[in-house]
Amino acid sequence: MESHSHDVRNSQSRISEHPENPNLKEDFHEEPVEDIEIKSWKRKLVGAWIFTIPVAVLMLSSRFGFEILPEKYMIPILLILGFPVIFIFGWQTVKSGVKGLVYRYFNMDSLIVLGVLVAYLTGIFSFTGILEDYSGVSSMIMAFFITGRYVETIARGKASQEIRKLLELGAKKALILRANKEIEIPAEEIQLNDIMIIKPGEKIPTDGIVVKGASSVDESMITGESLPVEKSKGKNVIGATINQDGILYVKASKIGKDTFLSHIINLIEEAQSTKVPIQKLADKITSVFVPIIIGLAVLTFVNWWYFAGDLSRAIGIAVSVLVIACPCALGLATPTALMVSSGMGAKKGILIRKGEAIQTMKEVKIIMFDKTGTITKGKPEVRSIFSITGEKYLLEIAASLEKLSEHPIAKAIVEKVGLKRYRQVSNFKILRGRGVEGKINSKEIVIGNSTLMKEKKISFDKVKEKIDEFEENGWTTMIIAENKKVLGVIGVADAVKEDSLEAISLLNAKGYRTFMITGDNEKTAKAIARETGIKEVIANVLPEDKQKKVEELQKQGFVAFIGDGINDAPALKQANVGIAIGTGTDIAIEAGDIVLAKGSLIGVVQAINLSKATFSKIKQNLFWAFGYNIIAIPVAVAGLLNPVIAEIAMALSSITVVTNANLLRRKRI
Amino acid sequence: MKKYKITIEGMHCAACASNVERSLRKIEGVKEASISLMTKKGFITAEDYVAEDEIKKAVEKTGYKVSKVEIV
């Protein structure tokens, strides 16, 4: 029986390593790294204190004059109790520190290990009678160091929680249609053009195009857009978003590395390793910090020994210097704040690609928006209708005729009217660049611009005023005529996004100079500017000249450019901060320093707020970290600090920095 | 030019990350190396002739292990 169960276990472990399913194993391996780390530090912490508490009791009692142990047993017991603390529970630190010393890639552990080992050795040498025993101190330093690490690891895990959630966002399984059968497969095995079936409440396994069904999809986890998005045949869907209420049949269009989610993850991970310029000094110091502190500890030791003549005291002070210096606080100051900030941004669809943007943002004085697709939706919409004889009839014949045209303006009219049943049209004709004509109920219908009306000898004097008004607004005007008599006009224009006005007024209120750049003529451009509150307009700009205009404006101050990333890439690069606005799955990731996954301009305001808040958090952290070292090291050198207190202070300094970074979350952006 | 994304194990302090960066930059043909302590990931831009093994060795020299190398 026993051997049987053994076999089963064996075969199971073989299955889990089966080459056909390498991804499953890898996922398992990759996800809970932080949790494993926390658990491992916790084990070490418990172990270390089990041995260190008796050490502390013995040391304190002897200091206050109680004799628990006879004097001659004291030191051997301290050494025995300290051994597991340093060489078992602290082994990882000892190993890494010694390695650092040997290969001369000094790290933080090198300092602790030197301090701890020196202290421990005094215990052994104390038998010779020339040294006081510090071995008790060594286990206490190690125990406090481990405790600090444990707390710091938890705090760091918290700093990265949003990002980890994002990494784990992808669907694990997929239901797909193969040979007319529904089969469930691991999401990694989806092939291009597979038809996936997504039931209500389920995650969409990968990016694709809806081929059947209709539903609303919650995309908030990717774009930050809180309202569900309607999806029907022909619409793109994003992997890892959640299907709400209907069944969707989706053809997989992107898999693996190419999906939107993979791009976002890569972008965020890469952003973490970019540098914020302010951090440079801290980095430089960190890289030479450890050898300098070791040198300083040696000097301190020699100095105290030579001038004060007390070898034991000199050792104690040198140990304090070694353990109090904390390059970690310096090194953690920026990356932890950046991490928390990235997480906060990602939740709202703001992806910070370059750490530098966070710092540059605070210098920005001018915000320049591209018009089409950034301030506006990039798609014409009916803005106003004027009818002489009755709106219902006017719209009915206009929609029936325009239904047959593919022109964006025609589509805008059809969409606006939303007819259930269209009228029969005969003799339909598209008159390029001017309009359309056709017959409905043997009445001759013409829809088009004034050129077309003149051509057809249709008088539009009755609506002349309206046409002027529409054109003043920068709208395209379509005149509708029946049997040579004008029925009315429809004004069509690229509509401004719902929250553009709000976003731009917020920016104006903050004192930014807001600009709009466009290829449109002055009139249209000014109309949009009026509607959105944009202060200054640069019209009639060819796409290739946008970059030059940004360059010119840069003479007056730092410029942030906001554009769609596809046509505006050079301008985005030229600007001091480039903010690329994504629309759906086609975000041009390479172009911007900051990428907004959702199209709304409120994202620009949020990105600015987030950058500023993050930068001030980084500054705060660096201030604490520098301040700590600048004050603590001289105090230790002066011999005013007990080594154990020094270690506690060091641990607290790292924890303070990480905790402070976590406090960034309190900021409303 | 190739771009690698590496995952590093055992790195837990800020000096560690800058050590790894320093070691990687010493490889001939490596244009850029930046390591994040927070994500334990590093991005390396290097000439095509730089071998994956060289990258791994440079990281190992500083006391850490490369658990994954991807080309991005």
Coordinates of all heavy atoms in Angstrom, one line a residue, chain A residues 6 87 90 177 216 485 494 576 621 650 655 657:
Chain A
H6 N 3.4 5.9 -2.9 CA 4.6 6.5 -3.3 C 4.7 6.7 -4.8 O 5.1 7.7 -5.3 CB 5.8 5.7 -2.8 CG 7.1 6.2 -3.0 ND1 7.6 7.3 -2.3 CD2 8.0 6.0 -4.0 CE1 8.8 7.6 -2.8 NE2 9.1 6.8 -3.8
F87 N 25.1 32.0 12.2 CA 25.5 31.1 11.2 C 24.4 30.2 10.6 O 24.6 29.5 9.7 CB 26.7 30.3 11.7 CG 27.9 31.2 12.0 CD1 28.2 31.5 13.3 CD2 28.7 31.7 10.9 CE1 29.3 32.3 13.5 CE2 29.7 32.5 11.2 CZ 30.1 32.8 12.5
G90 N 21.2 33.7 10.2 CA 21.8 34.8 9.5 C 22.7 34.3 8.3 O 23.4 35.2 7.7
L177 N -13.3 27.0 -29.4 CA -14.1 26.2 -30.3 C -13.1 25.5 -31.3 O -12.4 26.2 -32.1 CB -15.0 27.1 -31.1 CG -16.4 26.5 -31.6 CD1 -17.2 25.9 -30.5 CD2 -17.2 27.6 -32.3
S216 N -21.5 43.7 -22.6 CA -20.6 44.8 -22.2 C -19.4 44.2 -21.4 O -19.6 43.1 -20.8 CB -21.4 45.7 -21.3 OG -22.0 45.0 -20.2
K485 N -36.0 72.1 -53.6 CA -36.4 73.0 -52.5 C -35.7 72.6 -51.2 O -35.7 71.4 -50.8 CB -37.9 73.0 -52.2 CG -38.6 74.2 -52.9 CD -40.1 74.1 -52.9 CE -40.7 74.1 -51.6 NZ -42.2 73.6 -51.7
D494 N -16.2 67.1 -35.9 CA -15.5 66.3 -35.1 C -15.8 66.7 -33.6 O -15.6 67.8 -33.2 CB -14.0 66.4 -35.3 CG -13.2 65.4 -34.6 OD1 -13.8 64.6 -33.8 OD2 -11.9 65.5 -34.7
N576 N 9.4 68.1 -23.8 CA 10.1 67.7 -22.6 C 9.4 66.5 -21.9 O 10.1 65.6 -21.4 CB 10.2 68.9 -21.6 CG 10.9 70.1 -22.3 OD1 10.2 70.9 -23.0 ND2 12.2 70.2 -22.1
N621 N 12.0 61.3 0.6 CA 12.7 60.1 1.0 C 14.2 60.3 0.9 O 14.9 59.8 1.8 CB 12.3 59.0 0.0 CG 11.2 58.1 0.5 OD1 10.8 58.2 1.7 ND2 10.7 57.2 -0.3
M650 N 19.4 51.8 12.2 CA 19.6 51.5 10.8 C 18.4 50.8 10.2 O 17.9 51.2 9.1 CB 20.9 50.6 10.6 CG 21.4 50.4 9.2 SD 20.4 49.4 8.2 CE 20.8 47.8 8.8
I655 N 13.0 51.1 6.9 CA 11.6 50.9 7.0 C 10.9 52.2 6.9 O 9.8 52.3 6.2 CB 11.3 50.3 8.4 CG1 11.8 48.9 8.4 CG2 9.8 50.2 8.6 CD1 11.9 48.2 9.8
V657 N 11.7 54.8 5.1 CA 11.7 55.2 3.7 C 10.6 54.4 2.9 O 9.9 55.0 2.2 CB 13.1 55.0 3.1 CG1 13.0 55.0 1.6 CG2 14.0 56.1 3.6

